[in-house]
Amino acid sequence: MARCYCHWRRVLFYMCTLCIFLALLLVYITVMLCTVMNKTSTSGTPVHGLDAVHFVAPGSYPKTFWDLHLHGDAFWNRLQRTIDNHFNPILCPNNTKRAFENGTFNESLLTQGFSKVINLDGTSRNLDQMPKQIQDFITHMQRRDYPALLQPDGVCGAGRKEEKEAPLLLLAIKSTEQNFLNRQAVRQTWGQAGWVAGPKRTGNGGEGGGEGGGYVRRVFLLGKGSAEELGGNALQMESKLYGDILQWDFKDTFFNLTLKDVLFWSWFKDSCSRTHFVFKGDDDVFVNTPKIMSYLRDQLKKPHKTLRDFMVGDVIAAAVPHRFSESKYFIPDSFYKGSYPMYAGGGGVVYSGLLAKRLHDISKRLTLFPIDDVYVGMCMVRLNAHPVHHDAFLTFDFSSKEEEEPCSYHTILLVHKRSPGEVVKLWAHVKKTQARCWDVPLRGKQKEEQTGRPSKVSLSKDTTV
Ligand SMILES: *[C@@H]1O[C@H](CO)[C@@H](O)[C@H](O)[C@H]1NC(C)=O
Ligand SMILES: *[C@@H]1O[C@H](CO)[C@@H](O)[C@H](O)[C@H]1NC(C)=O
Ligand SMILES: *[C@@H]1O[C@H](CO)[C@@H](O)[C@H](O)[C@H]1NC(C)=O
């Protein structure tokens, strides 16, 4: 009897020890998880109001991406979640494959998701309270298939008919009907199509196989101007003359800019498949094209895998939507909740042709978002690709002291914002100082090489942003 009692005591003792051990383990795991999550959520400085802080982020993504109901009640998030769930490899293993084989499948998903969300209780009440501009966006956000009204005569924009090699760069410049002077300034200066040499000490570099040069093509991306009397057939004549106008049949408004990306990718895929890189930017920037040529020549030496993901610009991380209604970028939180993904500022960004095609494919499963550069960032997250920051993209201009240095414009790839008159003057200035400044390094280059590479974060493809 005593032995039996003893035996049970021993069993009890072991059980208790085990329980205490398990409890301690649980506490440890919880603490670890909390630490990790806190780290993720505090990485990157949040942006408040207009003071956009731009720097290279270690990667921004929702801290609790496994939470299926994150930011559940905002209109855009709801809409996107219905689509993301369809491509969740665990919930619907067959859909990923189907979507790539069948474009109609994606389209019908978007339509289904839209009618589901719009018919939910409370959605219409919310919609009525949103600003007019957002309401207008929502009314038209399902449509993307706007036909082209004007197209370049060359296969892939204006450029040389007979090139000895594939174009290195396509300049795709967002413009509007009334910005004729901007387009003229770009055509005469940094946007010249044809052979462009890299920076050289003497005169123009020779064509074909020259170090640091390449063929450039050019296209302007336009919607339909609001003022009918301004348009007329002036744009048609301009298109005939220069062959670099790509205009679609939608109203050219700020919230319709995303359509220019989506439709451009589609056109690019059909017309420019050989082009190595794309510059996409505004018509009020100054670009140092020769410097870009030599920079891109260097990138071309990188492995295929790197080029597949290649995007460089002024990277903005952990930005949050503007919540004050006076802002041009105003997004109410009934429309979108959460922070924005890391993105490259829309003033000017360069990406590879390979990436352009992948962006085209992935955009079919991403609900349109009214702010174009943020939308591109959202596409990048789903491709598990990250834009690289480069200090030579000045989408917020020089500091005044820096601009006065004699070779300042040879240290940059892009600067925003410059009037057509300024662009012409700057181009002449850059040509004049070419011999003296041809080998100055790009701005912030050393820094970029040491710290500029954003750390890779692995994300599941179905992340709800
Ligand atoms: C997924 O596809 C496999 C074969 O391709 C099929 O056997 C299976 O029934 C499909 N599952 C669903 C949920 O449709
Ligand atoms: C593509 O998807 C649509 C909608 O799901 C379907 O009706 C159609 O039959 C599919 N086509 C092909 C070729 O699989
Ligand atoms: C976008 O373009 C369409 C087609 O022209 C137009 O009806 C709509 O109002 C525009 N959307 C916005 C938000 O301006």
Side-chain angles (χ1 to χ4, degrees):
M1 200 59 200
R3 259 180 79 190
C4 190
Y5 175 69
C6 227
H7 174 76
W8 279 113
R9 245 177 52 176
R10 216 151 68 204
V11 170
L12 208 66
F13 174 76
Y14 283 137
M15 292 281 280
C16 280
T17 317
L18 194 68
C19 281
I20 291 169
F21 176 73
L22 281 178
L24 282 175
L25 193 68
L26 200 70
V27 169
Y28 175 75
I29 290 174
T30 316
V31 169
M32 285 305 284
L33 266 179
C34 283
T35 327
V36 168
M37 275 166 65
N38 268 342
K39 252 191 213 144
T40 328
S41 63
T42 51
S43 68
T45 319
V47 179
H48 295 292
L50 275 172
D51 316 308
V53 177
H54 46 107
F55 63 97
V56 179
S60 58
Y61 53 94
K63 56 186 172 193
T64 50
F65 63 84
W66 48 80
D67 180 358
L68 284 177
H69 298 289
L70 186 72
H71 308 310
D73 51 344
F75 182 79
W76 192 94
N77 303 64
R78 247 188 191 146
L79 209 52
Q80 188 55 35
R81 198 170 52 241
T82 62
I83 298 154
D84 282 340
N85 284 349
H86 269 282
F87 294 110
N88 185 315
I90 296 163
L91 295 179
C92 313
N94 284 1
N95 283 350
T96 313
K97 218 175 108 222
R98 255 170 88 194
F100 277 107
E101 288 161 358
N102 185 352
T104 334
F105 179 65
N106 282 317
E107 249 168 60
S108 65
L109 267 186
L110 285 169
T111 317
Q112 274 169 29
F114 190 83
S115 43
K116 202 165 118 192
V117 172
I118 211 98
N119 290 326
L120 281 175
D121 290 344
T123 300
S124 58
R125 192 166 6 103
N126 269 337
L127 285 186
D128 291 343
Q129 285 159 8
M130 286 191 202
K132 268 251 140 350
Q133 205 188 2
I134 293 270
Q135 287 188 28
D136 191 19
F137 176 82
I138 290 174
T139 316
H140 298 96
M141 71 190 288
Q142 276 191 283
R143 178 151 186 226
R144 309 182 177 201
D145 58 339
Y146 294 96
L149 298 174
L150 294 170
Q151 293 204 54
D153 52 0
V155 182
C156 173
R160 280 272 295 277
K161 292 278 179 298
E162 270 157 47
E163 293 158 339
K164 291 179 193 147
E165 58 190 46
L168 186 61
L169 181 64
L170 167 68
L171 302 168
I173 304 149
K174 291 178 274 179
S175 191
T176 54
E177 276 187 24
Q178 73 266 26
N179 279 6
F180 171 72
L181 289 178
N182 294 59
R183 288 194 292 280
Q184 279 305 71
V186 170
R187 285 179 184 123
Q188 288 162 18
T189 59
W190 59 265
Q192 285 170 33
W195 176 264
V196 174
K200 278 238 167 76
R201 199 196 311 247
T202 50
N204 295 327
E207 183 178 330
E211 272 291 305
Y215 288 100
V216 172
R217 287 175 170 265
R218 177 189 66 233
V219 65
F220 289 101
L221 313 174
L222 287 87
K224 239 174 12 180
S226 43
E228 290 291 327
E229 69 277 12
L230 245 173
N233 53 15
L235 196 70
Q236 265 172 34
M237 281 166 60
E238 192 184 333
S239 171
K240 258 200 196 119
L241 201 56
Y242 299 105
D244 58 4
I245 303 282
L246 180 50
Q247 185 194 29
W248 295 281
D249 190 13
F250 63 80
K251 212 160 114 194
D252 214 334
T253 60
F254 180 64
F255 272 13
N256 265 347
L257 279 182
T258 311
L259 285 171
K260 289 191 185 174
D261 286 274
V262 175
L263 292 168
F264 167 70
W265 291 332
S266 171
W267 175 80
F268 180 86
K269 195 175 179 175
D270 293 339
S271 316
C272 299
S273 55
R274 268 161 29 101
T275 307
H276 292 296
F277 296 99
V278 174
F279 164 88
K280 166 120 191 308
D282 291 336
D283 63 359
D284 59 353
V285 299
F286 178 79
V287 177
N288 190 332
T289 324
K291 278 276 183 187
I292 289 207
M293 297 313 272
S294 66
Y295 173 75
L296 291 180
R297 273 277 166 211
D298 289 344
Q299 303 306 311
L300 214 51
K301 292 173 197 147
K302 293 193 173 161
H304 182 83
K305 201 176 161 305
T306 313
L307 283 176
R308 258 168 61 89
D309 286 352
F310 179 79
M311 179 181 280
V312 64
D314 183 9
V315 173
I316 299 161
V320 293
H322 286 190
R323 299 298 196 203
F324 41 96
S325 51
E326 301 79 29
S327 170
K328 174 183 171 191
Y329 304 94
F330 175 52
I331 297 290
D333 74 348
S334 52
F335 181 76
Y336 177 81
K337 271 202 190 127
S339 59
Y340 288 151
M342 181 159 54
Y343 67 93
V349 56
V350 174
Y351 48 80
S352 68
L354 291 169
L355 184 63
K357 287 175 224 168
R358 296 175 67 218
L359 285 167
H360 168 75
D361 293 337
I362 203 79
S363 71
K364 292 186 174 165
R365 345 171 162 169
L366 200 63
T367 310
L368 292 183
F369 190 79
I371 297 174
D372 59 344
D373 40 14
V374 171
Y375 181 77
V376 177
M378 290 168 164
C379 290
M380 290 290 278
V381 168
R382 282 163 177 78
L383 290 173
N384 199 15
H386 309 277
V388 176
H389 179 76
H390 199 308
D391 281 339
F393 285 81
L394 288 176
T395 49
F396 291 91
D397 216 330
F398 284 108
S399 63
S400 57
K401 234 170 90 196
E402 198 185 344
E403 186 170 7
E404 280 155 23
E405 284 169 25
C407 290
S408 55
Y409 281 89
H410 295 267
T411 67
I412 55 133
L413 295 174
L414 170 139
V415 61
H416 183 250
K417 134 186 217 173
R418 295 292 181 268
S419 70
E422 286 168 335
V423 165
V424 172
K425 269 194 210 139
L426 279 175
W427 186 250
H429 166 79
V430 164
K431 290 269 144 187
K432 212 172 84 191
T433 49
Q434 177 88 330
R436 178 154 50 119
C437 303
W438 72 281
D439 62 347
V440 295
L442 284 176
R443 204 172 166 275
K445 197 162 180 218
Q446 286 79 17
K447 209 171 98 217
E448 184 223 3
E449 240 116 67
Q450 283 160 18
T451 58
R453 229 159 275 137
S455 58
K456 275 265 171 196
V457 283
S458 66
L459 278 182
S460 73
K461 291 246 160 61
D462 52 301
T463 303
T464 309
V465 182

